[in-house]
Amino acid sequence: VSGSSGSSRSIEALLATKEIVVFCGSGGVGKTSVAAASGVAAATRMDGKVLVVTVDPAKRLADALGIEGIGNIERRVPDAAFTEAGIEPRGELWAAMLDTKQSWDALVMRHAPDEETAHRILDNRLYESLTERFVQSHDYVAMERLFEIHQTGKYDLIIVDTPPTRNALDFLDAPARMADFFGGRLLRWLTAPYRVGGKRGARMITMASKPFYSVADRILGSQFLQDIAEFFLNFQSMYDGFVARSRSVEALLHDKRTTFAVVTTLEDAPLREGEQFCDELVKRDFNLGALILNKTLPLATFGPEGAVAAARLRADAPTVAAGLTGIDDVDAAARVLTTIGTAFENFAVVARRETELRSELRTRPDVVVDVPTFADEISDLGGLARIARHLAPG
Amino acid sequence: MNGPDLLARRLLVVTGKGGVGKSTVAAALALVAARQGQRVLVVDVDAKGTIADRFEAGPIGFKPKEVMPGVSLLAMDTEASLAEYLRLNLRVPIIGRLGPLAGMLDFVATAAPGVKEILTIGKVCWEVRESMEGRADWDLVVVDAAATGHVIAQLGAADAIRDLVAVGPVRGQTEWMSELLADPAITALNVVTTPEEMPIEETIDLVGQARRELDVPLGAVIVNRVLPELFTRRDEEMFGRLTASPVREELAAAVGPGSEAVIAAAELAVAMRRSRVAQLVRLRAEVDLPTLYLPYLFARSQGRRETEMVATALAAELGL
């Protein structure tokens, strides 16, 4: 983290040198579009293969990337789509969506000691709701899948859009938490009565786990508890595989080849959260590469010259209108001039607040980039290319 | 929807996609009710402190704290909720914190589908029932609920538990909760959105999913941050003439070179409004719920003052 100010560098250097760029940020800041646009920027400037892994893209964006409804499969964005958008790609752009259920199934198949156990797990009626809920399972599979793709060595650059989570950095803890969970005392307690003595369902409760059971029984009923325990007993057979894998995933996230880009808007709440991500990343020794200020108002528009003109329009609209050539409805003209003067001043307040917040930024990675707001929503490659030009100008 | 309809309920659940202003709208809704003389409890389900920020109230906990006349806040805490449940229903006395039991809860709650959700929605329902039976003060409970992705699980927890747990006291305890949540005279699920593609898409999905999977009655869709319409059709025509040569140059001569920036800003405002209107049209075509519109606030983006301003706009939309 440097102390430099201003948006002097672009993310082009990151895209050129890193193997993995992880985009994170709170909900609604445009993380997915920025991640996809970075992919476009990389593919238009560099040779090689770039993959964008997105989690929950808007339908039109998924359509534009050609990944709508195709699950975990990686797809190449056809050159024709680039040509249509008026861009000439140098490299290949690939895209994939994260399908949590598919990824979990694949994980179970890989780590289960034998096929029978794998199917016992997959067929358990608790499996689906558990993988949807426990230990931030979305985050875990997102990171796990990133590792898997990286290991194939098929891509020069992998760009990851992180899942929307309650706490946006949960995904960083997910591998470690997964390992903790499998090694934890509670899982041993829960499955102990069913392991000891070898006879499933025979409740041989140890002194240590007795209070746990008496309370859990009263709340949940013993049948339910037994269902859970059986499920986890099978699940536990994957312990070694999971723990080893979690460690590798963590190591990859900390590797020099991986960098993180935090996306935020210049609004109070998202910015506060964005700065917390930055702090947290630095604290945990991850590589914080860039801070992207998305959907900002264009500074060039809301400068002092415009303010002068707007003020004069608001003050003297009738006089100004009367002096214009060929405008007969002077009242209507004055009304419109007043309206645009007022609109300018309204937006200028927002622009000023953004400037203020920008200057107060606590964390400054080497790269701080502004991406201006666009009137229409980004839903195609052309739109992504527009963002890309701001992310990596020139 | 008019105000008396919505505010006559006892439980208003507010959800929405992250970043749309869900907490602000929940806080504003509470404020509107309080201005009508109601005593309101606001429950912050995520307990991230966002609701407290909306009232500039400082830290809040599981015990309701009155932050202004008529408005009390409560931050959800599933461990405290479990302790309360055990004490009241199973006569298991819990002194102080749960200690090692908390670890158990954490485990069971992450492992067992619906436990965390049931402790959350259970506490909410309990406060509503207590107030209806005269043991608590609330005329209205407003829930700043989980985001669209999680709210179905939260509100459906009572039913889900009954499907999973064959016996045990929890099963019996969930019956009355389901009834309370399904009663249109008591409960309404409201969705906050902004006129942008993703939030609108999630709103349409959520309304469909809620109708398919929940018995919880739907209330209103609240569209936040709606940009004002700049021009009438006639004025837009005039704007076109004012920005064509030679008038455009005459404007620059009259008010300075900054006229170009003013025109650019107006064009941006018009285009932004237009792309958002397209989303509103889509919302109206696909969702038949009463829809309330809250304006984009240029002046403020946080704090008590923002809550006050949103509440005033909301009250006007509700016809109050």
Side-chain angles (χ1 to χ4, degrees):
Chain A
V1 180
S2 83
S4 74
S5 64
S7 318
S8 50
R9 292 174 58 189
S10 77
I11 66 164
E12 196 163 5
L14 294 178
L15 298 177
T17 55
K18 301 294 177 182
E19 291 180 16
I20 295 173
V21 183
V22 183
F23 284 86
C24 43
S26 59
V29 297
K31 193 170 44 182
T32 304
S33 303
V34 170
S38 304
V40 171
T44 46
R45 281 166 180 73
M46 289 170 264
D47 287 331
K49 291 175 77 173
V50 182
L51 172 70
V52 175
V53 184
T54 96
V55 177
D56 186 23
K59 209 174 161 312
R60 288 191 299 161
L61 185 60
D63 273 337
L65 293 171
I67 51 172
E68 173 67 18
I70 60 157
N72 265 342
I73 310 154
E74 298 142 42
R75 280 275 172 88
R76 181 167 174 196
V77 180
D79 280 348
F82 278 92
T83 316
E84 221 172 277
I87 329 162
E88 199 56 53
R90 284 186 61 194
E92 296 177 11
L93 179 63
W94 291 67
M97 212 137 81
L98 178 78
D99 185 315
T100 308
K101 170 96 176 79
Q102 263 184 30
S103 304
W104 266 105
D105 291 357
L107 257 174
V108 170
M109 291 306 283
R110 181 183 317 117
H111 291 310
D114 51 65
E115 213 168 303
E116 201 201 321
T117 313
H119 284 292
R120 260 211 308 277
I121 294 168
L122 295 176
D123 294 342
N124 189 297
R125 69 196 179 108
L126 290 174
Y127 169 70
E128 201 164 326
S129 51
L130 288 180
T131 47
E132 267 172 25
R133 281 160 211 273
F134 89 120
V135 210
Q136 279 99 39
S137 80
H138 289 273
D139 306 326
Y140 180 71
V141 287
M143 293 303 108
E144 153 77 33
R145 195 159 138 65
L146 166 64
F147 178 79
E148 189 185 299
I149 295 170
H150 183 257
Q151 239 190 355
T152 64
K154 271 172 69 182
Y155 301 97
D156 299 282
L157 171 66
I158 305 169
I159 288 167
V160 192
D161 169 29
T162 50
T165 44
R166 225 164 278 203
N167 300 300
L169 286 179
D170 279 350
F171 66 91
L172 295 176
D173 295 328
R177 284 193 64 166
M178 189 58 80
D180 280 357
F181 170 75
F182 274 101
R185 199 166 46 153
L186 283 160
L187 189 56
R188 281 210 305 282
W189 274 6
L190 191 67
T191 52
Y194 307 94
R195 256 185 295 136
V196 178
K199 208 170 134 199
R200 295 251 157 98
R203 299 280 297 265
M204 295 179 60
I205 298 170
T206 61
M207 286 303 284
S209 60
K210 199 165 178 188
F212 168 87
Y213 272 98
S214 61
V215 174
D217 259 11
R218 294 178 72 176
I219 302 172
L220 297 164
S222 56
Q223 179 58 46
F224 181 56
L225 210 56
Q226 189 177 325
D227 286 351
I228 299 184
E230 275 198 32
F231 174 73
F232 279 112
L233 206 55
N234 286 319
F235 219 77
Q236 219 175 7
S237 66
M238 305 190 294
Y239 175 73
D240 291 337
F242 259 101
V243 171
R245 187 77 164 193
S246 300
R247 298 223 168 94
S248 311
V249 174
E250 250 205 303
L252 177 64
L253 291 177
H254 279 284
D255 196 282
K256 271 209 174 77
R257 294 173 295 176
T258 304
T259 194
F260 290 79
V262 173
V263 185
T264 180
T265 57
L266 284 173
E267 297 166 291
D268 295 282
L271 184 61
R272 206 177 317 143
E273 220 167 310
E275 291 212 279
Q276 276 166 16
F277 300 159
C278 289
D279 291 348
E280 201 64 11
L281 286 166
V282 172
K283 201 174 92 196
R284 297 192 207 183
D285 226 17
F286 288 101
N287 183 349
L288 172 62
L291 176 63
I292 291 148
L293 310 173
N294 195 25
K295 300 198 236 178
T296 59
L297 287 173
L299 283 171
T301 304
F302 296 98
E305 267 190 352
V308 170
R312 293 181 61 178
L313 281 174
R314 291 224 304 130
D316 289 330
T319 324
V320 174
L324 299 170
T325 308
I327 303 290
D328 33 16
D329 190 346
V330 174
D331 284 349
R335 191 168 58 234
V336 169
L337 293 176
T338 309
T339 302
I340 63 175
T342 309
F344 181 93
E345 287 179 349
N346 280 337
F347 279 95
V349 170
V350 179
R352 263 202 303 282
R353 191 164 57 229
E354 289 182 353
T355 305
E356 203 53 35
L357 288 169
R358 192 186 288 104
S359 71
E360 287 167 5
L361 282 177
R362 195 169 63 233
T363 326
R364 290 193 171 276
D366 286 346
V367 182
V368 181
V369 198
D370 265 64
V371 177
T373 195
F374 296 107
D376 39 342
E377 287 192 67
I378 301 304
S379 58
D380 56 15
L381 276 187
L384 293 177
R386 273 195 291 167
I387 299 181
R389 280 194 283 278
H390 289 277
L391 288 170
Chain B
M1 166 150 318
N2 62 38
D5 276 354
L6 198 62
L7 298 182
R9 322 265 175 125
R10 304 301 296 247
L11 173 59
L12 296 176
V13 180
V14 181
T15 183
K17 181 176 157 51
V20 299
K22 170 174 68 75
S23 299
T24 306
V25 171
L29 201 51
L31 198 51
V32 170
R35 285 180 188 166
Q36 298 288 311
Q38 296 197 19
R39 288 155 306 171
V40 189
L41 174 69
V42 188
V43 180
D44 182 359
V45 157
D46 270 350
K48 276 168 77 177
T50 40
I51 276 289
D53 287 347
R54 298 305 180 272
F55 289 98
E56 293 182 24
I60 55 168
F62 192 65
K63 191 170 172 281
K65 173 175 160 189
E66 186 162 37
V67 294
M68 57 172 283
V71 178
S72 299
L73 309 184
L74 180 162
M76 186 51 65
D77 174 344
T78 42
E79 185 186 327
S81 176
L82 177 66
E84 186 174 88
Y85 171 81
L86 293 174
R87 187 167 49 78
L88 292 169
N89 293 289
L90 303 179
R91 319 235 177 278
V92 178
I94 303 287
I95 296 147
R97 293 178 65 78
L98 286 169
L101 270 180
M104 178 219 92
L105 168 69
D106 216 36
F107 175 80
V108 174
T110 44
V115 169
K116 212 159 212 158
E117 285 81 1
I118 201 78
L119 288 170
T120 298
I121 201 67
K123 169 67 175 170
V124 168
C125 290
W126 190 76
E127 289 290 341
V128 173
R129 191 175 64 168
E130 288 292 290
S131 66
M132 289 172 71
E133 290 171 5
R135 287 188 297 271
D137 278 340
W138 326 120
D139 297 307
L140 175 67
V141 176
V142 174
V143 182
D144 181 12
T148 36
H150 292 109
V151 76
I152 297 277
Q154 216 161 58
L155 292 173
D159 295 341
I161 290 274
R162 276 211 310 285
D163 289 345
L164 283 166
V165 185
V167 291
V170 161
R171 193 181 159 80
Q173 292 292 334
T174 51
E175 202 89 52
W176 67 269
M177 285 168 47
S178 296
E179 278 168 23
L180 189 149
L181 289 171
D183 188 340
I186 298 174
T187 305
L189 169 62
N190 306 279
V191 193
V192 182
T193 184
T194 53
E196 294 165 292
E197 185 181 3
M198 278 301 268
I200 294 289
E201 205 164 292
E202 281 197 16
T203 302
I204 294 168
D205 287 351
L206 180 85
V207 168
Q209 205 187 351
R211 287 204 167 119
R212 281 192 309 276
E213 296 173 24
L214 294 177
D215 282 329
V216 181
L218 288 154
V221 173
I222 301 160
V223 187
N224 196 20
R225 299 196 201 123
V226 178
L227 284 169
E229 182 84 84
L230 228 48
F231 305 125
T232 61
R233 188 154 300 179
R234 205 170 130 232
D235 283 359
E236 192 159 0
E237 225 170 87
M238 176 58 79
F239 179 65
R241 290 170 61 195
L242 292 172
T243 50
S245 197
V247 181
R248 194 172 181 127
E249 290 76 22
E250 289 173 10
L251 269 180
V255 300
S259 65
E260 284 301 316
V262 176
I263 291 167
E267 281 165 349
L268 181 69
V270 168
M272 282 169 81
R273 160 86 191 176
R274 196 161 290 153
S275 88
R276 283 157 175 74
V277 165
Q279 295 302 329
L280 292 179
V281 169
R282 198 167 138 235
L283 176 72
R284 279 194 291 264
E286 306 220 16
V287 175
D288 56 358
L289 294 172
T291 306
L292 309 172
Y293 302 92
L294 301 175
Y296 182 91
L297 296 179
F298 291 99
R300 285 278 164 176
S301 63
Q302 65 173 337
R304 171 72 179 269
R305 178 71 190 137
E306 185 197 17
T307 309
E308 294 276 349
M309 288 164 77
V310 174
T312 302
L314 189 57
E317 278 290 283
L318 288 166
L320 297 170

PDB file of all heavy atoms in Angstrom, chain A residues 305-321:
ATOM      1  N   GLU A 305     -16.698  25.585 -14.083  1.00  0.00           N
ATOM      2  CA  GLU A 305     -17.287  26.290 -15.232  1.00  0.00           C
ATOM      3  C   GLU A 305     -18.776  26.015 -15.349  1.00  0.00           C
ATOM      4  O   GLU A 305     -19.591  26.918 -15.542  1.00  0.00           O
ATOM      5  CB  GLU A 305     -16.600  25.833 -16.532  1.00  0.00           C
ATOM      6  CG  GLU A 305     -15.447  26.691 -16.938  1.00  0.00           C
ATOM      7  CD  GLU A 305     -14.952  26.347 -18.346  1.00  0.00           C
ATOM      8  OE1 GLU A 305     -15.426  25.350 -18.922  1.00  0.00           O
ATOM      9  OE2 GLU A 305     -14.094  27.091 -18.850  1.00  0.00           O
ATOM     10  N   GLY A 306     -19.118  24.740 -15.228  1.00  0.00           N
ATOM     11  CA  GLY A 306     -20.520  24.342 -15.295  1.00  0.00           C
ATOM     12  C   GLY A 306     -21.320  24.983 -14.176  1.00  0.00           C
ATOM     13  O   GLY A 306     -22.461  25.415 -14.372  1.00  0.00           O
ATOM     14  N   ALA A 307     -20.703  25.058 -12.988  1.00  0.00           N
ATOM     15  CA  ALA A 307     -21.401  25.635 -11.836  1.00  0.00           C
ATOM     16  C   ALA A 307     -21.759  27.090 -12.102  1.00  0.00           C
ATOM     17  O   ALA A 307     -22.866  27.546 -11.776  1.00  0.00           O
ATOM     18  CB  ALA A 307     -20.535  25.509 -10.583  1.00  0.00           C
ATOM     19  N   VAL A 308     -20.819  27.840 -12.715  1.00  0.00           N
ATOM     20  CA  VAL A 308     -21.071  29.247 -13.038  1.00  0.00           C
ATOM     21  C   VAL A 308     -22.248  29.358 -14.009  1.00  0.00           C
ATOM     22  O   VAL A 308     -23.192  30.130 -13.797  1.00  0.00           O
ATOM     23  CB  VAL A 308     -19.805  29.904 -13.650  1.00  0.00           C
ATOM     24  CG1 VAL A 308     -20.133  31.290 -14.212  1.00  0.00           C
ATOM     25  CG2 VAL A 308     -18.696  29.981 -12.616  1.00  0.00           C
ATOM     26  N   ALA A 309     -22.197  28.550 -15.068  1.00  0.00           N
ATOM     27  CA  ALA A 309     -23.257  28.594 -16.080  1.00  0.00           C
ATOM     28  C   ALA A 309     -24.607  28.215 -15.480  1.00  0.00           C
ATOM     29  O   ALA A 309     -25.632  28.860 -15.752  1.00  0.00           O
ATOM     30  CB  ALA A 309     -22.901  27.668 -17.241  1.00  0.00           C
ATOM     31  N   ALA A 310     -24.599  27.180 -14.639  1.00  0.00           N
ATOM     32  CA  ALA A 310     -25.858  26.726 -14.033  1.00  0.00           C
ATOM     33  C   ALA A 310     -26.466  27.805 -13.157  1.00  0.00           C
ATOM     34  O   ALA A 310     -27.680  28.057 -13.194  1.00  0.00           O
ATOM     35  CB  ALA A 310     -25.617  25.447 -13.225  1.00  0.00           C
ATOM     36  N   ALA A 311     -25.615  28.470 -12.373  1.00  0.00           N
ATOM     37  CA  ALA A 311     -26.108  29.520 -11.478  1.00  0.00           C
ATOM     38  C   ALA A 311     -26.725  30.660 -12.289  1.00  0.00           C
ATOM     39  O   ALA A 311     -27.783  31.199 -11.940  1.00  0.00           O
ATOM     40  CB  ALA A 311     -24.965  30.034 -10.597  1.00  0.00           C
ATOM     41  N   ARG A 312     -26.074  31.018 -13.401  1.00  0.00           N
ATOM     42  CA  ARG A 312     -26.596  32.114 -14.227  1.00  0.00           C
ATOM     43  C   ARG A 312     -27.891  31.714 -14.905  1.00  0.00           C
ATOM     44  O   ARG A 312     -28.808  32.541 -15.051  1.00  0.00           O
ATOM     45  CB  ARG A 312     -25.540  32.564 -15.228  1.00  0.00           C
ATOM     46  CG  ARG A 312     -24.366  33.215 -14.494  1.00  0.00           C
ATOM     47  CD  ARG A 312     -23.304  33.713 -15.405  1.00  0.00           C
ATOM     48  NE  ARG A 312     -23.775  34.737 -16.344  1.00  0.00           N
ATOM     49  CZ  ARG A 312     -22.978  35.344 -17.212  1.00  0.00           C
ATOM     50  NH1 ARG A 312     -21.705  35.013 -17.251  1.00  0.00           N
ATOM     51  NH2 ARG A 312     -23.452  36.253 -18.029  1.00  0.00           N
ATOM     52  N   LEU A 313     -27.968  30.465 -15.326  1.00  0.00           N
ATOM     53  CA  LEU A 313     -29.209  29.991 -15.943  1.00  0.00           C
ATOM     54  C   LEU A 313     -30.367  30.065 -14.956  1.00  0.00           C
ATOM     55  O   LEU A 313     -31.479  30.463 -15.290  1.00  0.00           O
ATOM     56  CB  LEU A 313     -29.048  28.549 -16.435  1.00  0.00           C
ATOM     57  CG  LEU A 313     -28.314  28.372 -17.761  1.00  0.00           C
ATOM     58  CD1 LEU A 313     -28.096  26.902 -18.054  1.00  0.00           C
ATOM     59  CD2 LEU A 313     -29.085  29.043 -18.906  1.00  0.00           C
ATOM     60  N   ARG A 314     -30.094  29.675 -13.728  1.00  0.00           N
ATOM     61  CA  ARG A 314     -31.153  29.673 -12.721  1.00  0.00           C
ATOM     62  C   ARG A 314     -31.580  31.092 -12.354  1.00  0.00           C
ATOM     63  O   ARG A 314     -32.752  31.366 -12.138  1.00  0.00           O
ATOM     64  CB  ARG A 314     -30.694  28.930 -11.464  1.00  0.00           C
ATOM     65  CG  ARG A 314     -30.548  27.436 -11.697  1.00  0.00           C
ATOM     66  CD  ARG A 314     -31.120  26.611 -10.576  1.00  0.00           C
ATOM     67  NE  ARG A 314     -30.539  26.953  -9.286  1.00  0.00           N
ATOM     68  CZ  ARG A 314     -31.255  27.214  -8.204  1.00  0.00           C
ATOM     69  NH1 ARG A 314     -32.568  27.191  -8.258  1.00  0.00           N
ATOM     70  NH2 ARG A 314     -30.655  27.503  -7.065  1.00  0.00           N
ATOM     71  N   ALA A 315     -30.600  32.002 -12.347  1.00  0.00           N
ATOM     72  CA  ALA A 315     -30.905  33.371 -11.947  1.00  0.00           C
ATOM     73  C   ALA A 315     -31.590  34.171 -13.069  1.00  0.00           C
ATOM     74  O   ALA A 315     -32.499  34.958 -12.822  1.00  0.00           O
ATOM     75  CB  ALA A 315     -29.623  34.065 -11.480  1.00  0.00           C
ATOM     76  N   ASP A 316     -31.137  33.966 -14.309  1.00  0.00           N
ATOM     77  CA  ASP A 316     -31.549  34.848 -15.414  1.00  0.00           C
ATOM     78  C   ASP A 316     -32.245  34.134 -16.559  1.00  0.00           C
ATOM     79  O   ASP A 316     -32.208  34.608 -17.697  1.00  0.00           O
ATOM     80  CB  ASP A 316     -30.304  35.543 -16.014  1.00  0.00           C
ATOM     81  CG  ASP A 316     -29.744  36.579 -15.062  1.00  0.00           C
ATOM     82  OD1 ASP A 316     -30.547  37.140 -14.293  1.00  0.00           O
ATOM     83  OD2 ASP A 316     -28.519  36.803 -15.087  1.00  0.00           O
ATOM     84  N   ALA A 317     -32.868  33.002 -16.298  1.00  0.00           N
ATOM     85  CA  ALA A 317     -33.414  32.201 -17.398  1.00  0.00           C
ATOM     86  C   ALA A 317     -34.282  33.012 -18.370  1.00  0.00           C
ATOM     87  O   ALA A 317     -34.107  32.911 -19.583  1.00  0.00           O
ATOM     88  CB  ALA A 317     -34.168  30.994 -16.851  1.00  0.00           C
ATOM     89  N   PRO A 318     -35.222  33.834 -17.890  1.00  0.00           N
ATOM     90  CA  PRO A 318     -36.078  34.567 -18.836  1.00  0.00           C
ATOM     91  C   PRO A 318     -35.270  35.499 -19.747  1.00  0.00           C
ATOM     92  O   PRO A 318     -35.508  35.552 -20.959  1.00  0.00           O
ATOM     93  CB  PRO A 318     -37.013  35.370 -17.934  1.00  0.00           C
ATOM     94  CG  PRO A 318     -36.993  34.653 -16.618  1.00  0.00           C
ATOM     95  CD  PRO A 318     -35.627  34.076 -16.497  1.00  0.00           C
ATOM     96  N   THR A 319     -34.301  36.209 -19.184  1.00  0.00           N
ATOM     97  CA  THR A 319     -33.482  37.118 -19.984  1.00  0.00           C
ATOM     98  C   THR A 319     -32.674  36.347 -21.018  1.00  0.00           C
ATOM     99  O   THR A 319     -32.617  36.719 -22.193  1.00  0.00           O
ATOM    100  CB  THR A 319     -32.498  37.906 -19.077  1.00  0.00           C
ATOM    101  OG1 THR A 319     -33.158  38.193 -17.850  1.00  0.00           O
ATOM    102  CG2 THR A 319     -32.023  39.171 -19.732  1.00  0.00           C
ATOM    103  N   VAL A 320     -32.035  35.258 -20.551  1.00  0.00           N
ATOM    104  CA  VAL A 320     -31.230  34.454 -21.467  1.00  0.00           C
ATOM    105  C   VAL A 320     -32.117  33.925 -22.600  1.00  0.00           C
ATOM    106  O   VAL A 320     -31.766  34.008 -23.780  1.00  0.00           O
ATOM    107  CB  VAL A 320     -30.540  33.290 -20.719  1.00  0.00           C
ATOM    108  CG1 VAL A 320     -29.827  32.366 -21.705  1.00  0.00           C
ATOM    109  CG2 VAL A 320     -29.555  33.818 -19.679  1.00  0.00           C
ATOM    110  N   ALA A 321     -33.304  33.414 -22.218  1.00  0.00           N
ATOM    111  CA  ALA A 321     -34.212  32.822 -23.212  1.00  0.00           C
ATOM    112  C   ALA A 321     -34.645  33.855 -24.241  1.00  0.00           C
ATOM    113  O   ALA A 321     -34.740  33.563 -25.439  1.00  0.00           O
ATOM    114  CB  ALA A 321     -35.423  32.211 -22.517  1.00  0.00           C
TER     115      ALA A 321
END
